[in-house]
Amino acid sequence: MTVPSTSNRTTANEQPVDGGRIRPVRHPGQWIGVAGILVSAALFVQFLVTNEKLRLDLVAGYLFERSVMRGLVLTLELTVVAMILGIVLGTVLAIMRLSGNRVLSFVASGYIWFFRGTPILVQLLFWFFLGSILPVINLGIPFGPTFVEIPTNVLISQFTAAILGLGLNEAAYMAEIIRAGIKSVDPGQSEAAEAVGMSRMLAYRRIILPQASRVVLPPIANNTISMLKLSSLVIVVGLPELLTAVQLIYSRNFQQIPLLIVASIWYLLLTTILTIIQVRIERRLDRSVTGPRPVIRAAERQGTPS
Amino acid sequence: MTEPLVRAVNVRKSFGDLEVLRGINLEIDRGEVVCVLGPSGSGKSTFLRCINHLDRIDKGEIWVDGHLIGYRRAHGHTYELRPHEIAAQRRGIGMVFQKFNLFPHRTALENITEAPIFVKRQSKAAAEARAHELLERVNLGDRADFYPAQLSGGQQQRVAIARALALDPTLMLFDEPTSALDPELVGEVLDTMKDLASDGMTMIVVTHEVGFAREVADRVVFMDGGVVVEQGPPRQVLDDPQHPRTRGFLAKVI
C-alpha cells in the first residue's frame, strides 16, 4: 500500500519509491565516536595480551590462593555483619530522630553527628584500644553491685573491634538514609494505620517501613558495595581481609599489578552479585506499583460461597 | 430515649494561636446519619478527627458508646489514655479519608485483612473470608488481588470503606469522602454509603455533597467558625435555613 506523502510541499505529488519506508535521521558523530572507542579497546586488548611484564598468567594462580580465599571470606563476613548492625541500629536511630521525644531525638542527632564527624580509622582504633582506658567491663546495676567482670581485651577481639568500628559508623549514615525513607511515606499512611487501631510500632513494622524500603534500597545497596571496599581499613586492627591479603603477597613477590587484578576480580564479582540481589528485591518491592493487573476471575468468585 | 452513641460537650481545640473548635455540642443517636456541612476552615474535619483522637481536644469531652475518647476520669482527675487504650477505642470507630489512604504495598484484600489479623489477632482464613464478603458488599468482589494503584479513585475509596468496616465499628466517620474523586466516580461511592446508611450504620459525614445530605441524612449540621451554627432535618436546614451564614453558604454551593 502506498501512502501519499503530504508533508513536503515540493514532493506533494511524488509517489514514494520504496513503499513509504521512513528513513531515520543519520548520526555521523555517533559513528565516529563508536569507531574511536573500538580502536581504543583494540589497543587495550593488545596491551593486555602482548605485554609480558603484566604476568596475567599469575592472576589465575593466585585467584584461589589460600590467603586470598581467607581474605575474601573475612571481607564478606565483615560486610554482612557490619551492614546488619548498621541497618538495625540505623533504623532505631532514624525512628528516635523522628520521635516527638526531644531527648531521644537529640541523642540520635548527637550520635549521627559524632560518628559521621570523626574518621572511621580513628573509630576502628578506638574500639581496638578501648582496653587501655577501660581495662574491665562490668555487668551489673549502675552505681550498684556488679555481677560479671570481663577484661575488655577478652570481650573485644580484633573482629569485634572491626565490627564495632564499621557497623557503628555505618549506622550513622544508615540512620539518615532510613529517615529520608520514612519521611517519604505519606503522613496519611500512619493516620490510616492509627485509625484502624494499630500501635505506633505495628504501624512502623507493617505499613511505614515496608513502604520506606522501596526508597532506601538503592542507597543501602550503594553503602553495602562501599562497605565491601571500606572494610579493607580493618588492617589497622590487624585483620587481613581481601585487599590486605594480596598486598601481603605482592610485598614478597613484587607482582603488584597481577595481584591487584586478583583482588579487583573478586570485588567485581561480589559487586555483581549484590547488584543482582538489589535488582531482584527492587522488582519485588515495585510489584505493587508497576506490576501487571491481576486477571479478573468474576465467574470464579461469584461461584464461591461466602 | 436511649443514650446517644456520640456525645460531644463543649469541645475546644486550637492549633497554636488559632482556635479551630470553639465549643462544639452535638449528640448523635444510634443509627443516625449526620451530614456536617460548612465552609473550609470551619473546623468540621478537625471535629471529625477529634472523635477518634487523631487530633486531641484541648477542652470539653467526647463520648462514643459510653467511652470518654482519649482520656480516663478517676478521683476527679482526667488522665490521658495509654496508646494501646486509644488504639482499642479506635477499633470501634471506622474512618474514611478524603485521600483514601489505602496501603499501596498491599492488595485490596490485604488492606482489609491487615487490621483484623495484626490488631484483632483473627485467623488469616477468617479475616480473608470476611474481607471477601466486604468486597462483595462494596461491589468489588472481583478486585481482591488488585493493588491500589491498579484501581480507580472510586474503587479505592470503596476498598477504604470496606477496610473500615472490617473491624465491625459502631460508628463510621467520613472525611470528605468524595472530594478527591473525578465527578463521574462520585456516584459509586455515595451509593455504597447509602447502602451502609440503610443497613442502620451510624455515620458522621463531612461533605460538600448537598444532594447526598438531602437524600440520605437524618440530620444536617452546619458549622462555621468552629461552632455549630444550625442543625436540623435536611429539608429544614437546606431549604429554609434560619441563620444568615447558613444561607450565605448554601447560596454559594447549590
mmCIF file with all atom_site columns, all heavy atoms in Angstrom, chain B residues 52-73:
data_model
loop_
_atom_site.group_PDB
_atom_site.id
_atom_site.type_symbol
_atom_site.label_atom_id
_atom_site.label_alt_id
_atom_site.label_comp_id
_atom_site.label_asym_id
_atom_site.label_entity_id
_atom_site.label_seq_id
_atom_site.pdbx_PDB_ins_code
_atom_site.Cartn_x
_atom_site.Cartn_y
_atom_site.Cartn_z
_atom_site.occupancy
_atom_site.B_iso_or_equiv
_atom_site.pdbx_formal_charge
_atom_site.auth_seq_id
_atom_site.auth_comp_id
_atom_site.auth_asym_id
_atom_site.auth_atom_id
_atom_site.pdbx_PDB_model_num
ATOM 1   N N   . ASN B 1 52 ? -12.079 10.335 66.755 1.00 0.00 ? 52 ASN B N   1
ATOM 2   C CA  . ASN B 1 52 ? -11.277 9.129  67.006 1.00 0.00 ? 52 ASN B CA  1
ATOM 3   C C   . ASN B 1 52 ? -9.847  9.487  67.445 1.00 0.00 ? 52 ASN B C   1
ATOM 4   O O   . ASN B 1 52 ? -8.939  8.682  67.315 1.00 0.00 ? 52 ASN B O   1
ATOM 5   C CB  . ASN B 1 52 ? -11.300 8.163  65.824 1.00 0.00 ? 52 ASN B CB  1
ATOM 6   C CG  . ASN B 1 52 ? -10.521 8.674  64.646 1.00 0.00 ? 52 ASN B CG  1
ATOM 7   O OD1 . ASN B 1 52 ? -10.069 9.816  64.646 1.00 0.00 ? 52 ASN B OD1 1
ATOM 8   N ND2 . ASN B 1 52 ? -10.350 7.833  63.644 1.00 0.00 ? 52 ASN B ND2 1
ATOM 9   N N   . HIS B 1 53 ? -9.709  10.684 67.972 1.00 0.00 ? 53 HIS B N   1
ATOM 10  C CA  . HIS B 1 53 ? -8.476  11.083 68.653 1.00 0.00 ? 53 HIS B CA  1
ATOM 11  C C   . HIS B 1 53 ? -7.269  11.175 67.723 1.00 0.00 ? 53 HIS B C   1
ATOM 12  O O   . HIS B 1 53 ? -6.131  11.082 68.154 1.00 0.00 ? 53 HIS B O   1
ATOM 13  C CB  . HIS B 1 53 ? -8.171  10.096 69.798 1.00 0.00 ? 53 HIS B CB  1
ATOM 14  C CG  . HIS B 1 53 ? -7.415  10.735 70.930 1.00 0.00 ? 53 HIS B CG  1
ATOM 15  N ND1 . HIS B 1 53 ? -7.883  11.803 71.643 1.00 0.00 ? 53 HIS B ND1 1
ATOM 16  C CD2 . HIS B 1 53 ? -6.203  10.445 71.479 1.00 0.00 ? 53 HIS B CD2 1
ATOM 17  C CE1 . HIS B 1 53 ? -7.006  12.137 72.578 1.00 0.00 ? 53 HIS B CE1 1
ATOM 18  N NE2 . HIS B 1 53 ? -5.967  11.340 72.496 1.00 0.00 ? 53 HIS B NE2 1
ATOM 19  N N   . LEU B 1 54 ? -7.504  11.340 66.421 1.00 0.00 ? 54 LEU B N   1
ATOM 20  C CA  . LEU B 1 54 ? -6.373  11.625 65.533 1.00 0.00 ? 54 LEU B CA  1
ATOM 21  C C   . LEU B 1 54 ? -5.852  13.020 65.828 1.00 0.00 ? 54 LEU B C   1
ATOM 22  O O   . LEU B 1 54 ? -4.662  13.302 65.709 1.00 0.00 ? 54 LEU B O   1
ATOM 23  C CB  . LEU B 1 54 ? -6.797  11.519 64.061 1.00 0.00 ? 54 LEU B CB  1
ATOM 24  C CG  . LEU B 1 54 ? -6.866  10.119 63.463 1.00 0.00 ? 54 LEU B CG  1
ATOM 25  C CD1 . LEU B 1 54 ? -7.273  10.188 62.001 1.00 0.00 ? 54 LEU B CD1 1
ATOM 26  C CD2 . LEU B 1 54 ? -5.566  9.371  63.613 1.00 0.00 ? 54 LEU B CD2 1
ATOM 27  N N   . ASP B 1 55 ? -6.777  13.933 66.180 1.00 0.00 ? 55 ASP B N   1
ATOM 28  C CA  . ASP B 1 55 ? -6.399  15.216 66.767 1.00 0.00 ? 55 ASP B CA  1
ATOM 29  C C   . ASP B 1 55 ? -6.928  15.191 68.195 1.00 0.00 ? 55 ASP B C   1
ATOM 30  O O   . ASP B 1 55 ? -8.037  14.713 68.421 1.00 0.00 ? 55 ASP B O   1
ATOM 31  C CB  . ASP B 1 55 ? -7.049  16.389 66.005 1.00 0.00 ? 55 ASP B CB  1
ATOM 32  C CG  . ASP B 1 55 ? -6.348  16.655 64.685 1.00 0.00 ? 55 ASP B CG  1
ATOM 33  O OD1 . ASP B 1 55 ? -5.148  16.354 64.592 1.00 0.00 ? 55 ASP B OD1 1
ATOM 34  O OD2 . ASP B 1 55 ? -7.007  17.144 63.748 1.00 0.00 ? 55 ASP B OD2 1
ATOM 35  N N   . ARG B 1 56 ? -6.116  15.680 69.157 1.00 0.00 ? 56 ARG B N   1
ATOM 36  C CA  . ARG B 1 56 ? -6.598  15.644 70.532 1.00 0.00 ? 56 ARG B CA  1
ATOM 37  C C   . ARG B 1 56 ? -7.255  16.962 70.903 1.00 0.00 ? 56 ARG B C   1
ATOM 38  O O   . ARG B 1 56 ? -6.821  18.018 70.466 1.00 0.00 ? 56 ARG B O   1
ATOM 39  C CB  . ARG B 1 56 ? -5.468  15.277 71.488 1.00 0.00 ? 56 ARG B CB  1
ATOM 40  C CG  . ARG B 1 56 ? -4.292  16.233 71.434 1.00 0.00 ? 56 ARG B CG  1
ATOM 41  C CD  . ARG B 1 56 ? -3.194  15.715 72.332 1.00 0.00 ? 56 ARG B CD  1
ATOM 42  N NE  . ARG B 1 56 ? -2.844  14.335 71.954 1.00 0.00 ? 56 ARG B NE  1
ATOM 43  C CZ  . ARG B 1 56 ? -2.121  13.537 72.721 1.00 0.00 ? 56 ARG B CZ  1
ATOM 44  N NH1 . ARG B 1 56 ? -1.697  13.948 73.872 1.00 0.00 ? 56 ARG B NH1 1
ATOM 45  N NH2 . ARG B 1 56 ? -1.827  12.326 72.316 1.00 0.00 ? 56 ARG B NH2 1
ATOM 46  N N   . ILE B 1 57 ? -8.323  16.861 71.702 1.00 0.00 ? 57 ILE B N   1
ATOM 47  C CA  . ILE B 1 57 ? -9.049  18.066 72.059 1.00 0.00 ? 57 ILE B CA  1
ATOM 48  C C   . ILE B 1 57 ? -8.361  18.752 73.239 1.00 0.00 ? 57 ILE B C   1
ATOM 49  O O   . ILE B 1 57 ? -7.630  18.123 73.999 1.00 0.00 ? 57 ILE B O   1
ATOM 50  C CB  . ILE B 1 57 ? -10.526 17.755 72.398 1.00 0.00 ? 57 ILE B CB  1
ATOM 51  C CG1 . ILE B 1 57 ? -10.633 16.811 73.593 1.00 0.00 ? 57 ILE B CG1 1
ATOM 52  C CG2 . ILE B 1 57 ? -11.213 17.142 71.195 1.00 0.00 ? 57 ILE B CG2 1
ATOM 53  C CD1 . ILE B 1 57 ? -12.059 16.530 74.005 1.00 0.00 ? 57 ILE B CD1 1
ATOM 54  N N   . ASP B 1 58 ? -8.565  20.061 73.340 1.00 0.00 ? 58 ASP B N   1
ATOM 55  C CA  . ASP B 1 58 ? -7.945  20.803 74.442 1.00 0.00 ? 58 ASP B CA  1
ATOM 56  C C   . ASP B 1 58 ? -8.884  20.907 75.638 1.00 0.00 ? 58 ASP B C   1
ATOM 57  O O   . ASP B 1 58 ? -8.467  20.884 76.785 1.00 0.00 ? 58 ASP B O   1
ATOM 58  C CB  . ASP B 1 58 ? -7.572  22.219 73.983 1.00 0.00 ? 58 ASP B CB  1
ATOM 59  C CG  . ASP B 1 58 ? -6.553  22.192 72.857 1.00 0.00 ? 58 ASP B CG  1
ATOM 60  O OD1 . ASP B 1 58 ? -5.757  21.246 72.833 1.00 0.00 ? 58 ASP B OD1 1
ATOM 61  O OD2 . ASP B 1 58 ? -6.577  23.105 72.011 1.00 0.00 ? 58 ASP B OD2 1
ATOM 62  N N   . LYS B 1 59 ? -10.159 21.061 75.359 1.00 0.00 ? 59 LYS B N   1
ATOM 63  C CA  . LYS B 1 59 ? -11.154 21.189 76.436 1.00 0.00 ? 59 LYS B CA  1
ATOM 64  C C   . LYS B 1 59 ? -12.414 20.455 76.020 1.00 0.00 ? 59 LYS B C   1
ATOM 65  O O   . LYS B 1 59 ? -12.629 20.188 74.842 1.00 0.00 ? 59 LYS B O   1
ATOM 66  C CB  . LYS B 1 59 ? -11.485 22.666 76.668 1.00 0.00 ? 59 LYS B CB  1
ATOM 67  C CG  . LYS B 1 59 ? -10.430 23.425 77.431 1.00 0.00 ? 59 LYS B CG  1
ATOM 68  C CD  . LYS B 1 59 ? -11.044 24.661 78.089 1.00 0.00 ? 59 LYS B CD  1
ATOM 69  C CE  . LYS B 1 59 ? -9.970  25.522 78.729 1.00 0.00 ? 59 LYS B CE  1
ATOM 70  N NZ  . LYS B 1 59 ? -9.533  26.630 77.867 1.00 0.00 ? 59 LYS B NZ  1
ATOM 71  N N   . GLY B 1 60 ? -13.260 20.197 77.014 1.00 0.00 ? 60 GLY B N   1
ATOM 72  C CA  . GLY B 1 60 ? -14.521 19.534 76.731 1.00 0.00 ? 60 GLY B CA  1
ATOM 73  C C   . GLY B 1 60 ? -14.352 18.030 76.737 1.00 0.00 ? 60 GLY B C   1
ATOM 74  O O   . GLY B 1 60 ? -13.317 17.503 77.168 1.00 0.00 ? 60 GLY B O   1
ATOM 75  N N   . GLU B 1 61 ? -15.355 17.317 76.260 1.00 0.00 ? 61 GLU B N   1
ATOM 76  C CA  . GLU B 1 61 ? -15.247 15.864 76.224 1.00 0.00 ? 61 GLU B CA  1
ATOM 77  C C   . GLU B 1 61 ? -16.050 15.286 75.067 1.00 0.00 ? 61 GLU B C   1
ATOM 78  O O   . GLU B 1 61 ? -17.041 15.880 74.613 1.00 0.00 ? 61 GLU B O   1
ATOM 79  C CB  . GLU B 1 61 ? -15.698 15.262 77.552 1.00 0.00 ? 61 GLU B CB  1
ATOM 80  C CG  . GLU B 1 61 ? -17.026 15.778 78.060 1.00 0.00 ? 61 GLU B CG  1
ATOM 81  C CD  . GLU B 1 61 ? -17.227 15.451 79.542 1.00 0.00 ? 61 GLU B CD  1
ATOM 82  O OE1 . GLU B 1 61 ? -16.364 15.836 80.357 1.00 0.00 ? 61 GLU B OE1 1
ATOM 83  O OE2 . GLU B 1 61 ? -18.236 14.803 79.862 1.00 0.00 ? 61 GLU B OE2 1
ATOM 84  N N   . ILE B 1 62 ? -15.588 14.153 74.570 1.00 0.00 ? 62 ILE B N   1
ATOM 85  C CA  . ILE B 1 62 ? -16.302 13.430 73.524 1.00 0.00 ? 62 ILE B CA  1
ATOM 86  C C   . ILE B 1 62 ? -16.527 12.014 74.027 1.00 0.00 ? 62 ILE B C   1
ATOM 87  O O   . ILE B 1 62 ? -15.571 11.344 74.445 1.00 0.00 ? 62 ILE B O   1
ATOM 88  C CB  . ILE B 1 62 ? -15.495 13.397 72.208 1.00 0.00 ? 62 ILE B CB  1
ATOM 89  C CG1 . ILE B 1 62 ? -15.306 14.818 71.652 1.00 0.00 ? 62 ILE B CG1 1
ATOM 90  C CG2 . ILE B 1 62 ? -16.197 12.524 71.168 1.00 0.00 ? 62 ILE B CG2 1
ATOM 91  C CD1 . ILE B 1 62 ? -14.459 14.879 70.401 1.00 0.00 ? 62 ILE B CD1 1
ATOM 92  N N   . TRP B 1 63 ? -17.774 11.594 74.025 1.00 0.00 ? 63 TRP B N   1
ATOM 93  C CA  . TRP B 1 63 ? -18.112 10.234 74.443 1.00 0.00 ? 63 TRP B CA  1
ATOM 94  C C   . TRP B 1 63 ? -18.588 9.460  73.225 1.00 0.00 ? 63 TRP B C   1
ATOM 95  O O   . TRP B 1 63 ? -19.374 9.970  72.425 1.00 0.00 ? 63 TRP B O   1
ATOM 96  C CB  . TRP B 1 63 ? -19.229 10.247 75.484 1.00 0.00 ? 63 TRP B CB  1
ATOM 97  C CG  . TRP B 1 63 ? -18.868 10.929 76.766 1.00 0.00 ? 63 TRP B CG  1
ATOM 98  C CD1 . TRP B 1 63 ? -18.839 12.271 76.999 1.00 0.00 ? 63 TRP B CD1 1
ATOM 99  C CD2 . TRP B 1 63 ? -18.462 10.304 77.984 1.00 0.00 ? 63 TRP B CD2 1
ATOM 100 N NE1 . TRP B 1 63 ? -18.439 12.521 78.282 1.00 0.00 ? 63 TRP B NE1 1
ATOM 101 C CE2 . TRP B 1 63 ? -18.209 11.333 78.923 1.00 0.00 ? 63 TRP B CE2 1
ATOM 102 C CE3 . TRP B 1 63 ? -18.297 8.965  78.377 1.00 0.00 ? 63 TRP B CE3 1
ATOM 103 C CZ2 . TRP B 1 63 ? -17.783 11.064 80.216 1.00 0.00 ? 63 TRP B CZ2 1
ATOM 104 C CZ3 . TRP B 1 63 ? -17.895 8.705  79.683 1.00 0.00 ? 63 TRP B CZ3 1
ATOM 105 C CH2 . TRP B 1 63 ? -17.635 9.746  80.590 1.00 0.00 ? 63 TRP B CH2 1
ATOM 106 N N   . VAL B 1 64 ? -18.077 8.254  73.044 1.00 0.00 ? 64 VAL B N   1
ATOM 107 C CA  . VAL B 1 64 ? -18.576 7.377  71.987 1.00 0.00 ? 64 VAL B CA  1
ATOM 108 C C   . VAL B 1 64 ? -18.904 6.039  72.626 1.00 0.00 ? 64 VAL B C   1
ATOM 109 O O   . VAL B 1 64 ? -18.025 5.420  73.250 1.00 0.00 ? 64 VAL B O   1
ATOM 110 C CB  . VAL B 1 64 ? -17.543 7.188  70.859 1.00 0.00 ? 64 VAL B CB  1
ATOM 111 C CG1 . VAL B 1 64 ? -18.076 6.190  69.822 1.00 0.00 ? 64 VAL B CG1 1
ATOM 112 C CG2 . VAL B 1 64 ? -17.238 8.511  70.170 1.00 0.00 ? 64 VAL B CG2 1
ATOM 113 N N   . ASP B 1 65 ? -20.150 5.623  72.501 1.00 0.00 ? 65 ASP B N   1
ATOM 114 C CA  . ASP B 1 65 ? -20.585 4.326  73.006 1.00 0.00 ? 65 ASP B CA  1
ATOM 115 C C   . ASP B 1 65 ? -20.237 4.164  74.495 1.00 0.00 ? 65 ASP B C   1
ATOM 116 O O   . ASP B 1 65 ? -19.785 3.101  74.925 1.00 0.00 ? 65 ASP B O   1
ATOM 117 C CB  . ASP B 1 65 ? -19.909 3.209  72.184 1.00 0.00 ? 65 ASP B CB  1
ATOM 118 C CG  . ASP B 1 65 ? -20.785 1.960  72.150 1.00 0.00 ? 65 ASP B CG  1
ATOM 119 O OD1 . ASP B 1 65 ? -21.923 2.024  72.650 1.00 0.00 ? 65 ASP B OD1 1
ATOM 120 O OD2 . ASP B 1 65 ? -20.320 0.926  71.639 1.00 0.00 ? 65 ASP B OD2 1
ATOM 121 N N   . GLY B 1 66 ? -20.400 5.236  75.245 1.00 0.00 ? 66 GLY B N   1
ATOM 122 C CA  . GLY B 1 66 ? -20.153 5.168  76.682 1.00 0.00 ? 66 GLY B CA  1
ATOM 123 C C   . GLY B 1 66 ? -18.710 5.322  77.101 1.00 0.00 ? 66 GLY B C   1
ATOM 124 O O   . GLY B 1 66 ? -18.391 5.251  78.280 1.00 0.00 ? 66 GLY B O   1
ATOM 125 N N   . HIS B 1 67 ? -17.794 5.498  76.146 1.00 0.00 ? 67 HIS B N   1
ATOM 126 C CA  . HIS B 1 67 ? -16.381 5.686  76.491 1.00 0.00 ? 67 HIS B CA  1
ATOM 127 C C   . HIS B 1 67 ? -15.980 7.128  76.252 1.00 0.00 ? 67 HIS B C   1
ATOM 128 O O   . HIS B 1 67 ? -16.285 7.700  75.214 1.00 0.00 ? 67 HIS B O   1
ATOM 129 C CB  . HIS B 1 67 ? -15.490 4.784  75.626 1.00 0.00 ? 67 HIS B CB  1
ATOM 130 C CG  . HIS B 1 67 ? -15.764 3.326  75.819 1.00 0.00 ? 67 HIS B CG  1
ATOM 131 N ND1 . HIS B 1 67 ? -15.379 2.641  76.931 1.00 0.00 ? 67 HIS B ND1 1
ATOM 132 C CD2 . HIS B 1 67 ? -16.397 2.429  75.024 1.00 0.00 ? 67 HIS B CD2 1
ATOM 133 C CE1 . HIS B 1 67 ? -15.762 1.382  76.829 1.00 0.00 ? 67 HIS B CE1 1
ATOM 134 N NE2 . HIS B 1 67 ? -16.384 1.223  75.683 1.00 0.00 ? 67 HIS B NE2 1
ATOM 135 N N   . LEU B 1 68 ? -15.237 7.676  77.212 1.00 0.00 ? 68 LEU B N   1
ATOM 136 C CA  . LEU B 1 68 ? -14.668 9.002  77.035 1.00 0.00 ? 68 LEU B CA  1
ATOM 137 C C   . LEU B 1 68 ? -13.455 8.856  76.122 1.00 0.00 ? 68 LEU B C   1
ATOM 138 O O   . LEU B 1 68 ? -12.523 8.118  76.426 1.00 0.00 ? 68 LEU B O   1
ATOM 139 C CB  . LEU B 1 68 ? -14.248 9.569  78.394 1.00 0.00 ? 68 LEU B CB  1
ATOM 140 C CG  . LEU B 1 68 ? -13.631 10.966 78.387 1.00 0.00 ? 68 LEU B CG  1
ATOM 141 C CD1 . LEU B 1 68 ? -14.613 12.003 77.877 1.00 0.00 ? 68 LEU B CD1 1
ATOM 142 C CD2 . LEU B 1 68 ? -13.165 11.342 79.794 1.00 0.00 ? 68 LEU B CD2 1
ATOM 143 N N   . ILE B 1 69 ? -13.465 9.536  74.978 1.00 0.00 ? 69 ILE B N   1
ATOM 144 C CA  . ILE B 1 69 ? -12.409 9.322  73.986 1.00 0.00 ? 69 ILE B CA  1
ATOM 145 C C   . ILE B 1 69 ? -11.096 9.972  74.425 1.00 0.00 ? 69 ILE B C   1
ATOM 146 O O   . ILE B 1 69 ? -11.041 11.158 74.716 1.00 0.00 ? 69 ILE B O   1
ATOM 147 C CB  . ILE B 1 69 ? -12.844 9.885  72.613 1.00 0.00 ? 69 ILE B CB  1
ATOM 148 C CG1 . ILE B 1 69 ? -14.011 9.084  72.041 1.00 0.00 ? 69 ILE B CG1 1
ATOM 149 C CG2 . ILE B 1 69 ? -11.674 9.906  71.626 1.00 0.00 ? 69 ILE B CG2 1
ATOM 150 C CD1 . ILE B 1 69 ? -13.726 7.630  71.774 1.00 0.00 ? 69 ILE B CD1 1
ATOM 151 N N   . GLY B 1 70 ? -10.054 9.153  74.481 1.00 0.00 ? 70 GLY B N   1
ATOM 152 C CA  . GLY B 1 70 ? -8.703  9.661  74.711 1.00 0.00 ? 70 GLY B CA  1
ATOM 153 C C   . GLY B 1 70 ? -8.328  9.873  76.160 1.00 0.00 ? 70 GLY B C   1
ATOM 154 O O   . GLY B 1 70 ? -7.155  10.058 76.468 1.00 0.00 ? 70 GLY B O   1
ATOM 155 N N   . TYR B 1 71 ? -9.305  9.848  77.059 1.00 0.00 ? 71 TYR B N   1
ATOM 156 C CA  . TYR B 1 71 ? -8.988  10.181 78.459 1.00 0.00 ? 71 TYR B CA  1
ATOM 157 C C   . TYR B 1 71 ? -9.726  9.258  79.415 1.00 0.00 ? 71 TYR B C   1
ATOM 158 O O   . TYR B 1 71 ? -10.620 8.505  79.025 1.00 0.00 ? 71 TYR B O   1
ATOM 159 C CB  . TYR B 1 71 ? -9.349  11.639 78.746 1.00 0.00 ? 71 TYR B CB  1
ATOM 160 C CG  . TYR B 1 71 ? -8.673  12.591 77.792 1.00 0.00 ? 71 TYR B CG  1
ATOM 161 C CD1 . TYR B 1 71 ? -9.331  13.042 76.639 1.00 0.00 ? 71 TYR B CD1 1
ATOM 162 C CD2 . TYR B 1 71 ? -7.364  12.984 78.003 1.00 0.00 ? 71 TYR B CD2 1
ATOM 163 C CE1 . TYR B 1 71 ? -8.692  13.871 75.740 1.00 0.00 ? 71 TYR B CE1 1
ATOM 164 C CE2 . TYR B 1 71 ? -6.721  13.822 77.107 1.00 0.00 ? 71 TYR B CE2 1
ATOM 165 C CZ  . TYR B 1 71 ? -7.394  14.266 75.979 1.00 0.00 ? 71 TYR B CZ  1
ATOM 166 O OH  . TYR B 1 71 ? -6.758  15.077 75.086 1.00 0.00 ? 71 TYR B OH  1
ATOM 167 N N   . ARG B 1 72 ? -9.331  9.326  80.666 1.00 0.00 ? 72 ARG B N   1
ATOM 168 C CA  . ARG B 1 72 ? -9.918  8.496  81.707 1.00 0.00 ? 72 ARG B CA  1
ATOM 169 C C   . ARG B 1 72 ? -10.119 9.390  82.921 1.00 0.00 ? 72 ARG B C   1
ATOM 170 O O   . ARG B 1 72 ? -9.256  10.195 83.259 1.00 0.00 ? 72 ARG B O   1
ATOM 171 C CB  . ARG B 1 72 ? -8.952  7.350  82.022 1.00 0.00 ? 72 ARG B CB  1
ATOM 172 C CG  . ARG B 1 72 ? -9.362  6.393  83.098 1.00 0.00 ? 72 ARG B CG  1
ATOM 173 C CD  . ARG B 1 72 ? -8.440  5.169  83.037 1.00 0.00 ? 72 ARG B CD  1
ATOM 174 N NE  . ARG B 1 72 ? -7.027  5.548  82.974 1.00 0.00 ? 72 ARG B NE  1
ATOM 175 C CZ  . ARG B 1 72 ? -6.274  5.769  84.053 1.00 0.00 ? 72 ARG B CZ  1
ATOM 176 N NH1 . ARG B 1 72 ? -6.782  5.664  85.249 1.00 0.00 ? 72 ARG B NH1 1
ATOM 177 N NH2 . ARG B 1 72 ? -5.002  6.097  83.916 1.00 0.00 ? 72 ARG B NH2 1
ATOM 178 N N   . ARG B 1 73 ? -11.289 9.243  83.540 1.00 0.00 ? 73 ARG B N   1
ATOM 179 C CA  . ARG B 1 73 ? -11.577 10.027 84.744 1.00 0.00 ? 73 ARG B CA  1
ATOM 180 C C   . ARG B 1 73 ? -11.419 9.135  85.958 1.00 0.00 ? 73 ARG B C   1
ATOM 181 O O   . ARG B 1 73 ? -11.954 8.034  85.985 1.00 0.00 ? 73 ARG B O   1
ATOM 182 C CB  . ARG B 1 73 ? -13.030 10.522 84.702 1.00 0.00 ? 73 ARG B CB  1
ATOM 183 C CG  . ARG B 1 73 ? -13.298 11.567 83.664 1.00 0.00 ? 73 ARG B CG  1
ATOM 184 C CD  . ARG B 1 73 ? -13.059 12.963 84.226 1.00 0.00 ? 73 ARG B CD  1
ATOM 185 N NE  . ARG B 1 73 ? -12.953 13.923 83.145 1.00 0.00 ? 73 ARG B NE  1
ATOM 186 C CZ  . ARG B 1 73 ? -14.006 14.366 82.440 1.00 0.00 ? 73 ARG B CZ  1
ATOM 187 N NH1 . ARG B 1 73 ? -15.206 13.905 82.691 1.00 0.00 ? 73 ARG B NH1 1
ATOM 188 N NH2 . ARG B 1 73 ? -13.827 15.251 81.486 1.00 0.00 ? 73 ARG B NH2 1
#
